[in-house]
Amino acid sequence: MRFVTRKPAVKTALSLAMLSTILLSGNQSAFAQLGGIDLSQIPQMLDIDTRRTALEKAVNDGLASGRLTATDAASLQKDLLTIKANEEAFKQSGKFSIWQKTRMSLQLDVISGNLDRAMGTRQTANLTDLPGRQAELSARIQAALKSSSLSSLEANDLNTQLDLIKNKEASFKTAGTLTSSQTLEVALDLDKLSSRLESLLRAHNGSDVNFATRRTELQNRLSDLVTGRITSTDATAMTQEIERIANREATMKLGGRTLTTEDNLSLALDLERVNSRLERYTSGIANTSGMPGIDAMQTELDKKISDANLAGKLTSQQNADLRQDFERINQIERNYKADGTLTDSETLTLSSELESLNKRIDSTLAGNTPATTNSLAAKQDDLLKKLESAKTANRITATQYNDLRVRLDQAAARERLYRADGVLTDVETLSLANDLDGVSAQLTSSMSALPDINSLKTALQNRIQEGLGSGRLSSNAESDLRADLARVTQLESAFKSGGRPLTDDQVTALANEYKSINGRLDKTMTPLPAVADKRAALEQRVSQGEASGVLSATQSADMKRELGRIASVESNFRASDNGLSDWEAMTINRDLDRLDSDLSRLLTAAPAPTASGAAAPFDTKGHWAESYVGQLTQRSIIGGFPDGSFKPDDGITRAQFAAIAVKALNLPQANGPAAFKDVAANYWGAKAIAAVSQAGLVTGFPDGTFKPEDKITRAQALVILAKALPAGIADVSILNSYQDGSQVPAWAAPSVAKAAKARILVSYPDPSAIRPNTNATRADVAALTYQTLINLGQKLPQIRVGLE
């Protein structure tokens, strides 16, 4: 496209040049030389950014309204981009002087004039440019579909009407050149289609759709048809469909929510489907066999394909392709006849499809016939659409786009040269077709693969689930992200309505939506903690606490043991896949946070009381329960044996546990002897057994015995200690979080669940196991009792060994 400068721009150019000279010379009196130019307009003339932006908007508006062709718009946009690049280069170099501004202002004048000229030419275009107007309408429909200004149903209908107009023009041309009346007829059809497109674009803004009115209109039409044009079964089905759409709209509006453009589009499409079904009953009753000619054309084409195949004129692939197309048309007819009728519009569509198939058969049988002028124009139009679509979808680079566009322009230039004598020879036509095939092949090889929508969606769903499971994502944020996913899924369904596959542009648009949600997910999730750094810092704090004497040797050993356990867990996690998952990192972080909290309490707590001054038993040194036993020994709650041992791994009898419970819980003395027939008054533990019995901690066995010398199980010990806890009932489902929770006896489950909820359940070496039916060791009893005292408010140092 070549443009020329308008003459009125000369005066502005001279004025700007004179202004530049005057400003640089500093001669203020010379302003009079400007010949009456309004000086107040000069700053606006030199405001390059504002003028360029305004021109960019004018070009885009002209393209959208159809007053500017795609080729003219591309040329103007290219010139504006060149000015923008030069302006940025001058600004970066610090040399954006008034001379450069003047020059750019003149260039913008040229572009403005060319824009006016292009739009004026387009507005008064010759009606005989039928291919140009058809290409323009096709481009406008496609652009409106991409921007969601049209639904896919509306766009398909418009494209169908455009194809019918093209077929009419082609049928006129079979008899030779179009007459003036034929040209005018096709031009008027294009005008009507253009007006319909503009009407749809004006009305289809998504906010002016009155769904209630539309539903009422459809229901009234349905009521009229029940008089005999439609069965009661079909009427009931359509009534239910209308009600379903109404309920769907009400659901979308719950909570005062405003309908989005996608919501309006989806509801409108549903109503239009009902409308299409109704139109089959209101468009007139046609002969069930179709209008005259359809059956005959089908029979003729069927025989034509069969004869050609028997004569060896078709390859097996060509025969299969033609048969597939023939069956496709038959299926369309069967769908149309689902209600027992064919409307005039449906019959016309079938006729057009059969005529197209007939031409395809003839073209296939003709062999290597040189391309026609019409096929060249179609190839060029199709290639341009594919090129623009690939650019919009970012499937080719800017350089690749420019190279391919240059090749297309070169092919067009060659065609104009060949047509200089008024006709294209077969050799010239074939040469041009080969050029276009080369461009098509290069475009196909240059395009990057389309993103896998399903993989993007699945990966995003997994990330959301992992973020929620690891604690990095809040439930509110998860709900918002899943709502966004549902919105994109709904948009994909709208794209696929009518059974159509996704276009490249639609795939790219959906991929961008998923990438946008993924970006929001990245911003929403809590950053992963640096667990290695946190663990190292804790190790240093423990060492400093031990060196300063604030931490005892026992406390330091407990802390280091727990740090070692956490480090071992982290090592196992990393060994599985050479890294940490989000859930694994957050799990380790929670353990480190708990240990950090315990360490902080120890570092700030007063020294532990030593009322008795008793030393920890010698055989608990290095034992996992060393801290528990040491603290309880200092408080005279438990004691060892005469030889100074504690025997931590030995079992403990029910009588021994009763004696420990009396001391630990500070139970009052019993008001009488123990009421168990196997506990004699002179038994060493009789008083302790009586005290725990009267306190309601034990009830004995159904036969009236206590069995004082039996070893106590962990479940029995937990039941007794749980009764000492504050009143309350725990949900037994908490036991499901332990690996052997199902092994807890039914009679003990409520009490064990209460103990688990109160965090008194200690189990070494595996905190995730309860081991309810194994005998409790003396170490177990010390740990369980210790945690019970903490729950009851005793100010004791926190110990976490064996505690989940």
Side-chain angles (χ1 to χ4, degrees):
M1 171 178 170
R2 298 182 61 187
F3 294 128
V4 296
T5 308
R6 296 181 303 162
K7 291 182 179 180
V10 175
K11 184 174 181 179
T12 303
L14 293 174
S15 301
L16 288 172
M18 293 174 66
L19 174 64
S20 302
T21 304
I22 293 168
L23 292 178
L24 291 173
S25 66
N27 184 359
Q28 301 299 321
S29 63
F31 278 126
Q33 300 175 23
L34 293 179
I37 293 297
D38 185 358
L39 297 180
S40 64
Q41 295 180 359
I42 298 300
Q44 286 80 6
M45 294 177 185
L46 298 180
D47 187 354
I48 306 302
D49 280 336
T50 301
R51 294 190 64 197
R52 177 173 47 75
T53 302
L55 277 173
E56 288 173 351
K57 183 179 185 303
V59 171
N60 291 331
D61 290 345
L63 181 61
S65 65
R67 295 184 62 200
L68 199 61
T69 66
T71 303
D72 289 348
S75 177
L76 292 165
Q77 288 167 344
K78 181 178 179 182
D79 291 341
L80 287 169
L81 285 175
T82 300
I83 292 177
K84 182 178 181 181
N86 291 339
E87 180 185 357
E88 290 175 352
F90 283 136
K91 287 180 177 179
Q92 289 177 359
S93 65
K95 298 179 180 178
F96 196 33
S97 67
I98 194 170
W99 286 108
Q100 279 80 27
K101 290 182 180 180
T102 302
R103 179 181 299 174
M104 289 183 182
S105 181
L106 297 177
Q107 292 170 341
L108 291 173
D109 278 342
V110 172
I111 295 174
S112 177
N114 289 337
L115 172 61
D116 292 343
R117 175 180 174 276
M119 289 206 295
T121 302
R122 186 67 175 167
Q123 199 169 17
T124 57
N126 194 327
L127 286 176
T128 59
D129 182 17
L130 299 180
R133 298 187 65 194
Q134 291 167 356
E136 172 198 340
L137 268 173
S138 179
R140 289 174 63 194
I141 294 170
Q142 186 65 21
L145 179 61
K146 288 180 184 177
S147 64
S148 297
S149 297
L150 286 179
S151 68
S152 57
L153 187 64
E154 291 167 336
N156 292 338
D157 184 47
L158 291 170
N159 282 323
T160 299
Q161 296 302 316
L162 183 59
D163 289 340
L164 291 175
I165 295 173
K166 290 179 180 179
N167 290 337
K168 177 187 285 189
E169 180 189 4
S171 66
F172 286 157
K173 287 183 177 179
T174 56
T177 307
L178 266 66
T179 65
S180 299
S181 60
Q182 290 171 337
T183 300
L184 183 59
E185 182 179 347
V186 174
L188 289 175
D189 287 343
L190 291 172
D191 279 343
K192 292 177 182 177
L193 185 59
S194 179
S195 298
R196 185 181 173 201
L197 171 60
E198 291 173 2
S199 177
L200 286 172
L201 291 178
R202 284 194 300 268
H204 205 296
N205 57 18
S207 61
D208 59 351
V209 182
N210 191 326
F211 294 112
T213 302
R214 184 60 167 160
R215 287 195 300 269
T216 302
E217 175 190 346
L218 292 175
Q219 192 62 58
N220 291 338
R221 289 173 58 194
L222 184 58
S223 299
D224 294 338
L225 289 171
V226 176
T227 55
R229 298 287 296 279
I230 187 171
T231 66
S232 59
T233 301
D234 289 343
T236 300
M238 279 192 268
T239 298
Q240 291 174 348
E241 178 64 7
I242 293 171
E243 291 173 353
R244 182 192 68 78
I245 297 170
N247 292 335
R248 187 161 168 249
E249 180 186 358
T251 301
M252 289 177 175
K253 292 180 177 180
L254 283 178
R257 176 176 173 267
T258 303
L259 294 182
T260 64
T261 302
E262 289 79 12
D263 294 337
N264 282 303
L265 176 61
S266 178
L267 291 169
L269 286 174
D270 284 347
L271 290 171
E272 286 308 310
R273 290 191 184 97
V274 177
N275 182 57
S276 297
R277 291 173 63 186
L278 284 175
E279 285 184 347
R280 294 192 177 184
Y281 296 95
T282 58
S283 297
I285 301 176
N287 190 311
T288 55
S289 63
M291 295 179 67
I294 295 295
D295 290 342
M297 290 177 68
Q298 289 173 319
T299 302
E300 179 184 348
L301 290 180
D302 185 17
K303 184 176 186 302
K304 194 172 185 177
I305 295 173
S306 298
D307 291 347
N309 189 46
L310 289 174
K313 296 180 180 180
L314 295 175
T315 65
S316 58
Q317 185 61 50
Q318 289 171 335
N319 180 63
D321 291 343
L322 292 171
R323 277 292 171 192
Q324 182 178 2
D325 205 9
F326 183 77
E327 289 303 321
R328 178 185 64 81
I329 298 171
N330 287 344
Q331 183 60 49
I332 293 174
E333 181 183 12
R334 286 191 289 271
N335 292 340
Y336 284 163
K337 288 182 176 180
D339 58 358
T341 65
L342 279 179
T343 65
D344 291 349
S345 175
E346 291 168 344
T347 303
L348 184 60
T349 299
L350 287 173
S351 176
S352 175
E353 291 279 358
L354 291 170
E355 287 176 0
S356 296
L357 177 58
N358 186 43
K359 290 179 181 178
R360 183 180 172 194
I361 296 171
D362 291 340
S363 176
T364 303
L365 294 175
N368 295 322
T369 304
T372 64
T373 301
N374 287 338
S375 65
L376 280 179
K379 275 189 176 183
Q380 289 171 334
D381 185 46
D382 183 56
L383 265 177
L384 186 58
K385 290 178 183 177
K386 287 183 178 179
L387 184 59
E388 294 297 335
S389 176
K391 177 187 177 185
T392 302
N394 293 320
R395 296 188 64 193
I396 56 175
T397 65
T399 302
Q400 290 171 330
Y401 170 81
N402 291 333
D403 290 345
L404 291 167
R405 190 58 191 265
V406 167
R407 289 191 62 182
L408 274 178
D409 291 343
Q410 289 173 344
R414 286 187 61 196
E415 182 179 356
R416 288 194 295 273
L417 179 63
Y418 289 157
R419 289 180 183 277
D421 57 1
V423 67
L424 282 180
T425 66
D426 289 350
V427 174
E428 291 170 342
T429 303
L430 186 59
S431 175
L432 289 171
N434 288 335
D435 285 349
L436 295 176
D437 288 340
V439 176
S440 179
Q442 184 179 344
L443 174 59
T444 300
S445 64
S446 299
M447 286 195 297
S448 59
L450 283 169
D452 186 344
I453 298 300
N454 292 329
S455 296
L456 287 174
K457 180 179 180 180
T458 301
L460 190 52
Q461 290 172 331
N462 291 339
R463 284 199 67 201
I464 292 174
Q465 188 61 39
E466 290 171 1
L468 187 65
S470 67
R472 295 184 64 196
L473 192 65
S474 68
S475 57
N476 288 338
E478 183 252 358
S479 178
D480 291 341
L481 291 167
R482 290 203 183 279
D484 283 342
L485 274 177
R487 176 182 57 78
V488 179
T489 301
Q490 197 174 43
L491 180 61
E492 181 179 355
S493 298
F495 285 156
K496 291 180 177 179
S497 62
R500 292 185 177 275
L502 293 174
T503 66
D504 291 358
D505 292 338
Q506 291 170 341
V507 170
T508 303
L510 292 171
N512 289 336
E513 288 284 352
Y514 286 130
K515 290 176 182 176
S516 176
I517 297 174
N518 202 50
R520 290 199 297 277
L521 175 59
D522 288 337
K523 295 178 181 178
T524 304
M525 284 204 297
T526 304
L528 281 172
V531 292
D533 294 342
K534 183 177 286 190
R535 181 162 44 79
L538 275 172
E539 290 172 351
Q540 184 178 7
R541 288 182 65 198
V542 171
S543 298
Q544 291 173 347
E546 183 179 17
S548 64
V550 177
L551 290 180
S552 68
T554 300
Q555 291 170 335
S556 177
D558 289 342
M559 289 290 168
K560 290 179 179 177
R561 186 183 296 111
E562 182 64 9
L563 279 170
R565 183 193 67 80
I566 295 173
S568 176
V569 171
E570 180 182 349
S571 178
N572 291 335
F573 282 158
R574 291 186 183 276
S576 63
D577 54 6
N578 296 320
L580 292 177
S581 68
D582 290 3
W583 179 86
E584 291 168 343
M586 296 300 288
T587 299
I588 294 171
N589 186 64
R590 282 193 291 271
D591 285 347
L592 291 172
D593 283 343
R594 283 196 292 266
L595 187 59
D596 180 69
S597 178
D598 292 345
L599 177 59
S600 297
R601 282 194 294 270
L602 287 175
L603 293 176
T604 58
T610 55
S612 68
F618 68 85
D619 59 350
T620 60
K621 185 68 175 177
H623 192 275
W624 68 267
E626 177 184 2
S627 298
Y628 293 114
V629 175
Q631 291 291 336
L632 294 180
T633 300
Q634 289 179 2
R635 290 164 175 77
S636 299
I637 294 174
I638 61 174
F641 294 91
D643 63 355
S645 66
F646 182 76
K647 298 182 175 53
D649 295 322
D650 283 2
I652 189 169
T653 67
R654 290 167 56 79
Q656 289 170 338
F657 184 78
I660 292 174
V662 169
K663 285 185 178 181
L665 303 176
N666 196 23
L667 298 178
Q669 187 175 358
N671 293 325
F676 299 104
K677 60 185 180 181
D678 59 346
V679 179
N682 61 351
Y683 180 69
W684 72 267
K687 291 183 179 180
I689 294 172
V692 295
S693 175
Q694 291 179 16
L697 300 183
V698 296
T699 57
F701 294 92
D703 61 358
T705 61
F706 184 76
K707 300 178 183 179
E709 294 302 318
D710 281 3
K711 292 294 191 293
I712 194 169
T713 65
R714 284 174 56 85
Q716 291 170 341
L718 286 168
V719 169
I720 294 172
L721 292 174
K723 290 181 180 180
L725 298 173
I729 299 176
D731 187 353
V732 294
S733 64
I734 193 175
L735 301 180
N736 295 334
S737 62
Y738 292 88
Q739 62 184 23
D740 56 355
S742 61
Q743 298 176 18
V744 177
W747 58 267
S751 296
V752 176
K754 184 178 179 182
K757 183 179 179 182
R759 296 183 58 78
I760 72 170
L761 207 166
V762 179
S763 183
Y764 185 89
D766 186 0
S768 66
I770 301 175
R771 298 185 288 120
N773 301 311
T774 61
N775 288 337
T777 65
R778 291 170 57 79
D780 285 336
V781 169
L784 295 173
T785 303
Y786 190 90
Q787 291 300 332
T788 302
L789 292 176
I790 287 181
N791 183 275
L792 292 174
Q794 293 271 356
K795 293 185 178 180
L796 298 172
Q798 292 287 336
I799 302 174
R800 303 202 62 82
V801 179
L803 186 65
E804 186 177 29

